[in-house]
Amino acid sequence: MESSKVPVEYSDPCGVFSSLQPSLQSRLPLRNLHWNSSSRPLRSIACLHIEFLPSPRTASSHASSAPGRLSENGEHISTPQDGSPKKERRHQIPGLRQTPYLKVYLVDCDDVDTYKAITRKELRDWVKDHALPSQSSTSINKQENHDAFEWLIVHVTFTPGEGSNRSRHPDRDSEGARKPSGSRWSSRNSKSVVEKIRSDFNGTSKNAIDRVTQVQLPESTANVSKADSRSQDGKEGWEDLVAKLKLLILASFNLRVQQYEEDIKEKELQRNLPGWNFNTFFVLKEGLARGFESVGLVDDALASYHELAISLSATVDEELHGQALEQQTARFAEYTDELHQAYVEAIEAVKYQGGSPSASNDVNLDPGATVLDTERKPFRDLILANNISIFDFQGYVFARQISLLLRLANAAPPKQPETEMSNGKANIQATSNPLVKPSNAQHEDLSALAEICRLSLEFITSTAWTIRRDIGASRSATDLSHEHHTASASLQQDTTENIVASWTFSACQRILSVTSAPSLSVQIDPLLRQLNGTNLLQTRRTELAEAGRHENDSIARHKDYPRRTSSLTLRNPSKVVQYPEDSAILFSSLDALRRLPPGTPHPGAQELAGRRGDLLSLSRRSLSTIAFRCKAWNAGLDDLWKRSGQQNCYMDDIDLSGESEQKPQVSTDSSFPRPHSTFRGVCNAALKSSLQSEDGFYFLYEDLTKTALAHYVVGNRSKMAQTMTADLAVLCFQCRHYIAAASYFKQLASFYNDREWVETGKIMLDMWAECLRKIGNVKEYIVVALKALARAVVEMRSPLTPKWFLNDLIADSATIDQRITVPFDHYLVQREYNPYVSHYPDRDGFRIQLQVESKLYETFKASSVRVKIVSLDEKRSQLWLSSENVSLCPGLNKICIGSAAMVPGWYVIDHIMLEAENIVFVHESFSSSQSLHLPGERSPAILDGYAAGVSKRLLVWAAAQSLGVDISDSEEIDLSGPRSIVVTVSTGWNNISHGTISLRPASAGLRLHTAEAKARIGEGDIAIASHASNISFNVLLPDTRLSITIPYTQESDLGEIQVHGEVAYATEKGNFSYASSATIRTGLSLAVNVVDTFKQGALFSHFTIGTATSSPLRIIEASLRDNNNFETIAPVSVGTETDVFAAQPLSLVAEIRHKHNQTRSDAQHRRKINRRLYLDVDYRCLAKDIWTAVEADLLHKLASTALERFSRVLSQHLRQLLCHIFTSKDFEMIGLLREVNIGAYDDYDWEEIVQGLGLAEAVIVKECLQEWHQDSRIISLERVGNSSPSPVLHLTVPVDLPELHVLHTASLRPRKSSISTPFDSPYVTMGQALPMELVLEHTRQWGPEAGDGKILDFCYDIQASPETWLVGGQRRARFTATEGHQQSFSVLLLPQSAGHLLLPAINIQPVVSHHDNGPSDSQASPIESFISSQTDYVSQAETILVLPGLSSTTVRVEPNASQGEVGQVG
């Protein structure tokens, strides 16, 4: 009986079950059940399957019926002779057998009298026998809850039908007490009967369960569906029956679970007591698990089996390690009969085959094939009898776990259920059993299948040790013959290992067969086709058919081995298969697999594919283990290592006390091949067939590897996929399929290009290089061989010896036309180099010494060694140094490399290139990683080397005698034209035959006009040729200074511009170059402002010259130049040098007049007037005076100490510091005192520049500089400037004279005799009217042509404050002005306050109007709306004295007033 169904026992004294069965079957299985336990969460049961079993009395009555009478399933039933079946005794160990959850009594009685007379007594007897135990409350009866059940009475009625031929039970028919079934009132009688049954057998309490129900059946079984739906009563009766089945089954199940949990808890508490037995506890807890399984709670059942597996593992460990309690009885058998039988058959086969260990044998028993079969042995009986081995015990628990997981995965079980009826049991659910997957079943749960594979991997790997221990125990426990005892230890060990490997292989294949899923095969099959190739499969199909048929027949011998569709197909050819030469098509790369379109994603597909790949790998390992140990056939990396002896290394035990000396023991690892190995013990048919020949082994190994690779690719297990690819590559190499092997090795390059795979990567690179050499791919062969050579020399402790020699590879590289780049550090090491440059004694350029250590064991010649150094500034300038024909020996080599190019600055070594034929060794110190680019590998990541730090800096500086280039701003600046730069070339000791200057603007929007360049040597001009951005010149003698002026323009006004210049020149010593970059400030050092004042006959311009920077200026001369139309009457030239500071600008005034008294009405002449004048300013900048004076003093000091060769580098550093060391306050002090305090040695950062000159030179230069700072702390600008003056700068500023249409000259003066006093003083009194005359004069001589000869209207306005003057008369008037016309207007002023009062202001504005009269019609035309005019108010600063009111008083003084007489006042 299957534990996946709930047993229900029925008693059928009336024989109506056969009529009831069709209707009942249509309503099964029960669905949507909910079990609520007090100790567990709510559980939902989607589907509950029921198995109806006849009671013993019913079965015996069927057996004693008349011949020809059949049971409900159509079989004859036998009955005991005494006519009454005996009651089965309950087993003392709960859970050993399964009992009904529900007992049903079927009643067929439609007459109340018959019920009272016969049926009621039978029901009471039945209820008494079956109902009382479960209702008792005694402790003894509580133990019956392990088999707790409920009972139910089903009253079956038959509806009248046509042609009714329903047969009755013979016992009931003989009584004659039953009324005809066709009675008209049968339905009413049946209701009366069922009510009687309810009143007699249902409980009287309020919560009593209704255990009686009634269903209606037709007289004829052909009208089952029609009768079920004929009446509402019939439908409700069946619904009531289904509801009661759910309720009563769950009630009995709940009682059983509670009892099991109590007993399990009690047993666990007794674990440490004497007499406790794990096997009994296992059967008890398994009963609970089977109960869960029977009702469909598979998750709970699986959890119970997981707990049992853990407990079993712990118990086995205690048993084997002697930790079990002495009071506990033995629980396990010493060995397994099947394993012992397989071992004995294998050993005896050697004897019967004449003692040849290698002779073939046939062991028909394959324990691994039945690993999931739980019916091959009475496991539970063996467990109770303490006669089960550990191997069988663990295998049984594992098989039960897998069967439950298969149910969760909606997959077919390891064993198909029986559908026939046996022992009177009718399986009415055979057509709807969920364990048999129909053709339209739902998709399998791939996550559950993946869990099966994971659990299987753990079980198989751990059970291998159990098998070895089991076979060893069987050899010790059994009485074998003398021949068996005298068998060699190696033969016994080989046989045992063969049995283990064969069992592992079979178990893996068994798990793979039950975990195959169509949804996974859709993704696996395209990959397998890609790997295998169509042509190869066509040639192999015939050879595989026979081997596959043999394997299927072997599997079919086990009835529990299901025939499932599997993505794994084991193939075993009988002869070797010859691969074609273009086998690279068959062995596609791993990238091709990744590019295949993925199948429809399914949850858990990746995990399942990965787990199945692990099982395939385990199967492959079993195959290769047997083949390598018995026949020394190797395949894959693992076997390759075994053959090379890398795994035969051992470690010695050393006595630290030094009292004893341990000697190394020879390894007895069974994985190594022996000269007389045997295949004895191999039980799997496919495995035995494949091991008959080496070709068959390779074929099966390849098939398993490719299948595992496809699974790993789908499972996204990239590392394992790489491992499988590596094994395929090694296999192809061993079979001499070099094209295919090379394609695989190409994909593995990046994976094994790691320092963790030194030995493995070396072996694979050797094989890859050999493949490429065989197929004639020279370029890739050299690359891979160099990689293998690097692996051999990088790890000095590696026991591997180089297979490839560099000189041979260099010679082979000469046959190709491509350059091969390899990393420098894999073969050579750059040691500490001297970070100081040295100069050649007779030519320009510089050189350094490089130290390189060769890690190779051979001397080779490099055609050239080139080093690239990169500057540390923002420009990242690059220089290449080289040396030709250099021989490198093993060990340290010193190489002197030089350069003919000079770009001063700080550098670091960035790139080293060593060329030997077409092989280039490259060392990139900071820009990229040190990895060899192999075909198929990814490019290395770019690193920011400069951020990582600079190891040693190199100062490149030019000698004082070498050529020098200086780029600066021009000393002569004309603001009316384009600016210019000056490139100065000093030849030094070079006799230049020809040269080229290349200029490149480094600022946006800057354009250099080299076509307009002018060259000068001293005071004379020379011819140059300009094309594009290059300027060519010819012969230049030594100590020549060439200056080239180049105009430039800018798209926008930039504060500074950057220009990069390079001079390439040729001398008798060779070709050289010098590069320099300059940042030129475009702003002016001085600022000029002008204010213009117009008068009747002249224009006065007021010029203000100040400094535009923090540095003061010294104005040497300033003058305003005349032109053809204007002349300067008052000169602005400066007689002596004048210092200009930021707060003290220079002011100059110039008077400008027209020349030759030109007629102002001459329109043609006026159109040719040039209104531009030029202001010329010659000046020196104090900052340049300081630089020149300090630099001259330093050069004088260096020349006196024989350190003149360092003058250029030291002066450049000094000038850079002097630009930033002084503040504006310091400049003012220096400008006033004309002395410079250069400060101390530490203020100039000399240490940085001195340390870059060399170890010996640094000491001398430092002492010299310290002495200079001490002796020349104060430098006089006047003293040094007289001998080495700074250049005089010239600035030409264009001055455009402004245009004025009209100039009015106004004067306000009193009329004659308007102011008269007795003392002739110009004053008036307050309130006195002052007559004034306003005189206006008009001129247009400063205006353009537009206003000549035209009548203009103006309006004057006298503006005075009412607190000072009251204006009377024509205060505001309009007048007409013509050239040279003078007008006057009378005005009366009335003073309002006393004191010196300024005259009122005059404001004159033009007025636009039309005139009807004039000199001509043209003069009468309208005047333009905009007219510029100014007023020259002559009386602007004049004042008038205003006094208060005056009166006259006469005073007379008498002569006698002193005597007291009073004078008179009149």
Side-chain angles (χ1 to χ4, degrees):
M1 179 180 60
E2 293 289 343
S3 61
S4 59
K5 299 178 182 179
V6 175
V8 175
E9 182 183 288
Y10 66 90
S11 297
D12 185 18
C14 302
V16 296
F17 182 79
S18 59
S19 301
L20 182 68
Q21 179 178 351
S23 298
L24 186 60
Q25 178 180 350
S26 64
R27 291 170 172 82
L28 296 178
L30 303 178
R31 302 184 182 277
N32 299 326
L33 288 81
H34 303 284
W35 174 54
N36 190 6
S37 174
S38 59
S39 60
R40 296 175 182 270
L42 179 65
R43 297 286 194 269
S44 296
I45 304 173
C47 182
L48 181 62
H49 297 268
I50 299 176
E51 182 179 17
F52 283 91
L53 307 174
S55 64
R57 185 181 298 277
T58 301
S60 62
S61 63
H62 288 178
S64 61
S65 59
R69 291 185 58 86
L70 301 176
S71 65
E72 53 271 19
N73 60 347
E75 294 184 354
H76 291 279
I77 301 176
S78 60
T79 184
Q81 295 181 359
D82 55 1
S84 60
K86 296 182 180 180
K87 184 177 180 180
E88 183 179 2
R89 181 182 179 184
R90 190 178 71 86
H91 199 279
Q92 63 178 352
I93 299 179
L96 187 61
R97 66 185 183 88
Q98 291 185 345
T99 56
Y101 283 69
L102 177 65
K103 295 187 178 181
V104 180
Y105 191 90
L106 303 178
V107 179
D108 181 14
C109 180
D110 298 337
D111 183 65
V112 177
D113 296 336
T114 305
Y115 167 73
K116 292 179 180 180
I118 303 174
T119 307
R120 181 162 53 186
K121 182 178 182 303
E122 294 178 351
L123 282 173
R124 285 176 177 172
D125 294 340
W126 182 82
V127 171
K128 181 179 179 181
D129 293 340
H130 299 87
L132 293 180
S134 61
Q135 299 174 358
S136 175
S137 61
T138 62
S139 61
I140 298 177
N141 288 332
K142 280 189 176 181
Q143 297 296 328
E144 298 291 341
N145 286 340
H146 292 103
D147 298 330
F149 62 90
E150 294 289 345
W151 55 274
L152 177 66
I153 299 175
V154 180
H155 183 224
V156 183
T157 63
F158 292 88
T159 58
E162 299 162 355
S164 176
N165 56 356
R166 180 173 63 89
S167 60
R168 297 288 182 176
H169 195 278
D171 296 338
R172 294 301 180 92
D173 292 342
S174 62
E175 295 174 0
R178 181 178 176 84
K179 294 185 178 182
S181 60
S183 174
R184 180 178 180 181
W185 309 103
S186 59
S187 176
R188 180 180 301 176
N189 292 336
S190 64
K191 289 184 179 181
S192 301
V193 172
V194 74
E195 293 298 332
K196 289 288 184 182
I197 297 175
R198 285 194 176 97
S199 61
D200 291 339
F201 296 98
N202 276 341
T204 57
S205 63
K206 184 178 181 180
N207 297 327
I209 301 176
D210 185 9
R211 302 178 183 275
V212 180
T213 185
Q214 175 179 287
V215 295
Q216 292 183 0
L217 294 176
E219 291 286 349
S220 175
T221 58
N223 299 325
V224 173
S225 59
K226 181 179 179 180
D228 293 346
S229 59
R230 178 174 298 176
S231 64
Q232 185 66 24
D233 294 341
K235 181 178 181 181
E236 292 178 355
W238 282 106
E239 292 178 353
D240 183 60
L241 174 61
V242 172
K244 284 183 171 55
L245 288 175
K246 294 180 181 180
L247 176 64
L248 297 176
I249 289 175
L250 289 180
S252 58
F253 173 72
N254 189 47
L255 290 174
R256 293 189 181 198
V257 170
Q258 291 178 359
Q259 187 60 50
Y260 271 110
E261 288 179 344
E262 292 178 2
D263 291 348
I264 291 171
K265 184 177 180 181
E266 181 181 358
K267 289 294 184 183
E268 287 181 344
L269 295 175
Q270 299 173 359
R271 179 182 291 270
N272 296 327
L273 297 179
W276 188 86
N277 187 278
F278 173 78
N279 297 354
T280 305
F281 172 76
F282 177 86
V283 174
L284 176 63
K285 193 166 185 177
E286 189 190 17
L288 177 62
R290 285 179 171 266
F292 286 135
E293 182 184 5
S294 64
V295 298
L297 297 176
V298 182
D299 289 327
D300 295 88
L302 184 61
S304 298
Y305 274 108
H306 286 339
E307 294 174 359
L308 287 174
I310 296 174
S311 299
L312 175 61
S313 178
T315 304
V316 169
D317 291 342
E318 293 176 358
E319 184 74 18
L320 297 179
H321 294 85
Q323 299 177 358
L325 299 178
E326 297 180 357
Q327 298 88 345
Q328 296 178 358
T329 58
R331 288 161 290 204
F332 307 113
E334 295 185 8
Y335 58 90
T336 306
D337 294 337
E338 291 83 352
L339 297 178
H340 176 67
Q341 180 182 355
Y343 174 78
V344 171
E345 290 180 357
I347 295 298
E348 290 180 349
V350 178
K351 174 183 176 181
Y352 294 121
Q353 293 294 337
S356 176
S358 60
S360 62
N361 69 298
D362 290 328
V363 179
N364 297 325
L365 181 63
D366 188 3
T370 59
V371 67
L372 301 181
D373 187 5
T374 59
E375 301 296 334
R376 70 180 187 272
K377 285 184 181 182
F379 288 104
R380 306 188 76 196
D381 295 338
L382 293 174
I383 293 172
L384 286 176
N386 295 330
N387 194 25
I388 187 171
S389 65
I390 296 175
F391 173 76
D392 282 342
F393 208 153
Q394 293 177 338
Y396 171 71
V397 176
F398 170 73
R400 293 293 299 142
Q401 289 174 309
I402 297 303
S403 64
L404 294 176
L405 285 172
L406 286 174
R407 286 192 61 181
L408 291 177
N410 194 26
K415 179 182 177 182
Q416 298 289 352
E418 296 288 341
T419 58
E420 296 83 19
M421 182 175 184
S422 60
N423 298 329
K425 301 178 183 181
N427 183 7
I428 66 174
Q429 301 293 328
T431 60
S432 60
N433 195 334
L435 300 182
V436 181
K437 185 188 299 184
S439 59
N440 58 351
Q442 299 178 356
H443 291 296
E444 295 169 320
D445 186 356
L446 302 187
S447 298
L449 294 178
E451 177 64 18
I452 292 176
C453 295
R454 185 198 65 80
L455 190 64
S456 301
L457 281 170
E458 295 179 358
F459 169 74
I460 294 173
T461 53
S462 62
T463 306
W465 175 86
T466 304
I467 296 176
R468 294 186 183 95
R469 191 208 61 83
D470 195 299
I471 296 177
S474 68
R475 288 201 304 263
S476 303
T478 56
D479 185 14
L480 298 178
S481 61
H482 180 70
E483 291 81 359
H484 296 165
H485 286 293
T486 57
S488 63
S490 61
L491 178 60
Q492 295 179 7
Q493 188 174 10
D494 287 346
T495 303
T496 302
E497 294 300 326
N498 289 346
I499 293 175
V500 172
S502 177
W503 179 88
T504 301
F505 185 88
S506 299
C508 290
Q509 301 307 312
R510 188 72 179 93
I511 300 301
L512 288 170
S513 66
V514 300
T515 56
S516 173
S519 58
L520 183 61
S521 299
V522 172
Q523 303 179 54
I524 297 295
D525 291 343
L527 302 181
L528 288 176
R529 287 193 296 269
Q530 180 74 11
L531 283 169
N532 293 324
T534 306
N535 298 332
L536 186 58
L537 295 176
Q538 293 283 349
T539 57
R540 298 180 181 178
R541 188 169 298 164
T542 305
E543 300 175 4
L544 299 177
E546 186 64 27
R549 188 181 305 109
H550 175 72
E551 178 187 356
N552 293 334
D553 294 342
S554 175
I555 295 175
R557 284 197 292 266
H558 304 283
K559 65 177 183 178
D560 297 332
Y561 201 112
R563 300 295 301 277
R564 294 174 53 82
T565 303
S566 175
S567 60
L568 176 66
T569 303
L570 295 180
R571 291 174 272 187
N572 182 23
S574 58
K575 63 180 181 179
V576 65
V577 177
Q578 298 294 334
Y579 290 87
E581 290 299 328
D582 58 346
S583 57
I585 301 176
L586 308 178
F587 297 87
S588 300
S589 67
L590 195 59
D591 285 340
L593 296 177
R594 297 192 184 100
R595 288 195 295 268
L596 287 176
T600 304
H602 293 277
Q606 285 191 354
E607 184 181 3
L608 176 59
R611 299 295 185 184
R612 285 174 57 85
D614 293 338
L615 287 172
L616 288 165
S617 298
L618 187 57
S619 301
R620 193 190 62 156
R621 188 188 307 168
S622 301
L623 171 66
S624 61
T625 299
I626 299 175
F628 182 80
R629 182 178 57 250
C630 299
K631 292 297 182 182
W633 298 336
N634 51 19
L637 284 177
D638 291 340
D639 292 346
L640 195 63
W641 277 113
K642 292 177 184 178
R643 177 169 293 277
S644 62
Q646 293 294 329
Q647 292 186 354
N648 200 21
C649 299
Y650 53 83
M651 299 182 68
D652 298 341
D653 293 332
I654 300 176
D655 187 4
L656 298 179
S657 62
E659 297 178 357
S660 61
E661 181 179 357
Q662 298 290 339
K663 295 182 179 180
Q665 301 293 331
V666 178
S667 175
T668 58
D669 190 354
S670 60
S671 61
F672 287 91
R674 297 188 174 92
H676 300 291
S677 300
T678 177
F679 287 137
R680 303 299 175 184
V682 179
C683 306
N684 185 274
L687 198 58
K688 287 190 295 184
S689 178
S690 299
L691 293 173
Q692 296 302 318
S693 65
E694 186 176 3
D695 300 324
F697 159 70
Y698 283 134
F699 194 93
L700 180 57
Y701 184 88
E702 175 194 347
D703 184 79
L704 290 173
T705 305
K706 290 181 178 179
T707 309
L709 173 59
H711 279 79
Y712 283 134
V713 171
V714 174
N716 198 20
R717 299 271 295 276
S718 58
K719 298 247 176 121
M720 291 303 300
Q722 297 281 6
T723 303
M724 295 297 107
T725 308
D727 290 338
L728 282 178
V730 174
L731 180 63
C732 294
F733 179 80
Q734 293 169 343
C735 297
R736 298 182 180 179
H737 308 310
Y738 298 117
I739 299 179
S743 66
Y744 282 124
F745 283 126
K746 186 175 182 179
Q747 303 303 320
L748 298 169
S750 59
F751 182 73
Y752 287 99
N753 189 26
D754 198 322
R755 293 299 177 89
E756 297 178 358
W757 301 91
V758 176
E759 289 81 7
T760 304
K762 172 63 172 58
I763 292 178
M764 296 187 67
L765 288 173
D766 287 341
M767 291 188 291
W768 186 10
E770 185 66 22
C771 292
L772 295 172
R773 188 176 65 85
K774 293 289 187 181
I775 63 179
N777 192 340
V778 180
K779 181 179 181 299
E780 290 194 15
Y781 152 68
I782 295 175
V783 172
V784 178
L786 286 171
K787 183 71 174 181
L789 181 62
R791 284 294 182 92
V793 299
V794 166
E795 295 292 335
M796 302 303 295
R797 296 175 298 175
S798 175
L800 303 175
T801 57
K803 183 179 180 181
W804 316 100
F805 296 96
L806 183 58
N807 284 317
D808 297 338
L809 299 177
I810 293 174
D812 292 337
S813 69
T815 61
I816 61 177
D817 55 356
Q818 296 178 351
R819 295 167 65 89
I820 300 174
T821 302
V822 295
F824 181 92
D825 290 348
H826 289 180
Y827 315 90
L828 305 165
V829 178
Q830 175 197 350
R831 294 303 180 187
E832 295 293 333
Y833 68 97
N834 188 9
Y836 308 109
V837 301
S838 60
H839 297 88
Y840 297 101
D842 56 348
R843 63 180 185 271
D844 290 354
F846 68 97
R847 55 191 174 183
I848 63 174
Q849 189 179 73
L850 188 68
Q851 296 183 3
V852 176
E853 181 181 357
S854 175
K855 296 187 289 186
L856 302 172
Y857 295 97
E858 54 181 323
T859 300
F860 67 98
K861 184 178 182 180
S863 56
S864 66
V865 177
R866 302 177 62 198
V867 176
K868 182 179 74 173
I869 58 177
V870 179
S871 65
L872 297 178
D873 55 11
E874 297 179 355
K875 303 179 183 65
R876 291 289 190 266
S877 302
Q878 299 179 2
L879 287 178
W880 283 94
L881 294 82
S882 62
S883 180
E884 307 295 332
N885 299 324
V886 179
S887 296
L888 286 94
C889 304
L892 188 62
N893 299 268
K894 295 182 179 181
I895 306 174
C896 186
I897 53 178
S899 173
M902 172 60 68
V903 183
W906 287 99
Y907 290 82
V908 292
I909 291 182
D910 178 75
H911 205 82
I912 300 177
M913 293 181 59
L914 191 148
E915 300 179 3
E917 294 295 343
N918 284 323
I919 298 178
V920 181
F921 300 90
V922 177
H923 170 74
E924 297 179 355
S925 300
F926 304 107
S927 58
S928 63
S929 60
Q930 306 296 318
S931 60
L932 177 59
H933 295 222
L934 292 176
E937 289 186 347
R938 297 179 180 177
S939 299
I942 302 300
L943 303 177
D944 188 4
Y946 297 100
V950 180
S951 59
K952 277 195 174 183
R953 299 192 304 170
L954 178 69
L955 177 61
V956 177
W957 53 281
Q961 304 87 351
S962 64
L963 181 138
V965 177
D966 180 58
I967 303 176
S968 62
D969 197 6
S970 176
E971 297 175 358
E972 297 183 358
I973 300 175
D974 187 356
L975 297 183
S976 61
R979 300 281 295 274
S980 301
I981 62 173
V982 177
V983 179
T984 304
V985 179
S986 301
T987 59
W989 61 11
N990 295 285
N991 187 5
I992 301 175
S993 60
H994 63 275
T996 302
I997 301 176
S998 300
L999 296 176
R1000 178 172 56 86
S1003 298
L1006 176 63
R1007 291 184 176 88
L1008 300 177
H1009 303 282
T1010 55
E1012 303 175 10
K1014 297 179 180 180
R1016 174 176 293 184
I1017 296 179
E1019 298 298 331
D1021 297 338
I1022 66 169
I1024 57 175
S1026 301
H1027 52 87
S1029 60
N1030 298 330
I1031 301 174
S1032 301
F1033 57 88
N1034 292 324
V1035 178
L1036 291 179
L1037 299 177
D1039 297 326
T1040 302
R1041 188 179 181 89
L1042 172 65
S1043 297
I1044 302 176
T1045 303
I1046 304 169
Y1048 71 89
T1049 56
Q1050 306 177 68
E1051 293 183 359
S1052 59
D1053 189 10
L1054 301 176
E1056 59 183 21
I1057 60 174
Q1058 294 181 354
V1059 180
H1060 177 76
E1062 182 177 356
V1063 179
Y1065 56 98
T1067 67
E1068 66 276 6
K1069 303 293 184 180
N1071 296 326
F1072 305 91
S1073 66
Y1074 186 98
S1076 176
S1077 297
T1079 301
I1080 303 173
R1081 185 177 178 272
T1082 59
L1084 298 177
S1085 299
L1086 57 81
V1088 179
N1089 295 322
V1090 61
V1091 177
D1092 296 319
T1093 303
F1094 288 94
K1095 293 296 180 177
Q1096 185 70 25
L1099 171 66
F1100 292 91
S1101 296
H1102 181 203
F1103 294 93
T1104 302
I1105 302 176
T1107 177
T1109 62
S1110 60
S1111 174
L1113 302 176
R1114 170 160 287 192
I1115 306 299
I1116 299 175
E1117 184 180 0
S1119 62
L1120 185 64
R1121 286 184 286 172
D1122 299 345
N1123 62 10
N1124 297 329
N1125 303 107
F1126 296 92
E1127 62 180 355
T1128 58
I1129 303 302
V1132 296
S1133 60
V1134 180
T1136 60
E1137 297 182 357
T1138 304
D1139 292 334
V1140 175
F1141 298 92
Q1144 186 180 351
L1146 174 65
S1147 296
L1148 300 174
V1149 178
E1151 181 182 357
I1152 304 172
R1153 292 181 179 273
H1154 287 281
K1155 284 186 177 182
H1156 310 303
N1157 295 322
Q1158 297 162 344
T1159 303
R1160 302 293 174 249
S1161 60
D1162 188 356
Q1164 183 178 3
H1165 172 73
R1166 297 175 68 87
R1167 283 194 296 268
K1168 299 180 181 179
I1169 291 178
N1170 181 11
R1171 308 183 69 87
R1172 171 166 289 186
L1173 304 178
Y1174 292 94
L1175 177 65
D1176 296 324
V1177 181
D1178 293 336
Y1179 65 97
R1180 282 193 183 97
C1181 183
L1182 181 61
K1184 291 188 177 181
D1185 287 345
I1186 296 173
W1187 301 340
T1188 304
V1190 175
E1191 182 180 0
D1193 193 77
L1194 176 61
L1195 295 178
H1196 177 72
K1197 178 65 176 179
L1198 294 175
S1200 63
T1201 56
L1203 295 176
E1204 189 176 1
R1205 66 181 185 277
F1206 302 108
S1207 59
R1208 184 179 297 183
V1209 61
L1210 294 178
S1211 62
Q1212 289 177 352
H1213 179 73
L1214 177 64
R1215 180 171 295 186
Q1216 292 176 357
L1217 291 177
L1218 289 176
C1219 292
H1220 309 286
I1221 197 172
F1222 296 112
T1223 63
S1224 58
K1225 186 176 181 180
D1226 296 333
F1227 278 124
E1228 292 181 2
M1229 186 66 66
I1230 295 172
L1232 294 173
L1233 301 178
R1234 305 301 292 177
E1235 292 180 349
V1236 181
N1237 186 351
I1238 63 174
Y1241 173 84
D1242 296 333
D1243 297 336
Y1244 285 78
D1245 294 333
W1246 287 113
E1247 288 294 333
E1248 181 182 14
I1249 197 73
V1250 168
Q1251 295 300 326
L1253 300 178
L1255 295 178
E1257 293 81 356
V1259 178
I1260 302 175
V1261 173
K1262 182 177 180 180
E1263 293 178 354
C1264 178
L1265 291 174
Q1266 289 176 345
E1267 183 180 351
W1268 175 69
H1269 276 275
Q1270 185 176 1
D1271 297 340
S1272 303
R1273 181 176 294 274
I1274 303 298
I1275 299 177
S1276 174
L1277 298 182
E1278 300 296 341
R1279 178 179 56 84
V1280 180
N1282 293 331
S1283 58
S1284 300
S1286 63
V1288 177
L1289 306 179
H1290 179 81
L1291 175 64
T1292 300
V1293 182
V1295 181
D1296 293 328
L1297 299 181
E1299 292 183 348
L1300 184 65
H1301 292 88
V1302 177
L1303 175 64
H1304 300 279
T1305 302
S1307 62
L1308 186 65
R1309 56 179 179 262
R1311 291 183 179 180
K1312 294 181 179 180
S1313 302
S1314 61
I1315 302 178
S1316 61
T1317 63
F1319 305 100
D1320 294 330
S1321 299
Y1323 66 89
V1324 296
T1325 60
M1326 292 183 59
Q1328 179 183 356
L1330 179 63
M1332 302 293 291
E1333 184 181 13
L1334 177 62
V1335 180
L1336 300 177
E1337 187 176 357
H1338 173 84
T1339 182
R1340 303 180 189 180
Q1341 62 177 340
W1342 303 107
E1345 178 186 359
D1348 288 348
K1350 297 180 181 179
I1351 299 175
L1352 301 178
D1353 289 344
F1354 293 90
C1355 177
Y1356 75 85
D1357 183 15
I1358 301 176
Q1359 299 175 351
S1361 174
E1363 296 178 356
T1364 57
W1365 297 101
L1366 290 179
V1367 182
Q1370 293 181 331
R1371 178 175 183 176
R1372 182 181 296 106
R1374 180 172 177 176
F1375 65 94
T1376 301
T1378 58
E1379 178 68 27
H1381 180 65
Q1382 184 177 359
Q1383 303 180 57
S1384 62
F1385 300 91
S1386 297
V1387 179
L1388 186 63
L1389 298 180
L1390 187 64
Q1392 299 297 312
S1393 61
H1396 291 275
L1397 301 181
L1398 289 173
L1399 293 177
I1402 305 299
N1403 183 22
I1404 302 175
Q1405 296 293 334
V1407 177
V1408 179
S1409 64
H1410 297 275
H1411 294 273
D1412 296 334
N1413 53 0
S1416 62
D1417 294 339
S1418 60
Q1419 294 177 348
S1421 61
I1423 302 301
E1424 294 183 356
S1425 59
F1426 177 77
I1427 297 177
S1428 63
S1429 65
Q1430 278 189 10
T1431 301
D1432 183 15
Y1433 187 30
V1434 176
S1435 303
Q1436 184 174 6
E1438 295 181 2
T1439 62
I1440 295 179
L1441 177 62
V1442 178
L1443 299 176
L1446 300 177
S1447 62
S1448 63
T1449 301
T1450 303
V1451 178
R1452 185 180 66 182
V1453 179
E1454 294 293 339
N1456 296 326
S1458 58
Q1459 298 178 359
E1461 294 182 359
V1462 179
Q1464 296 180 357
V1465 177

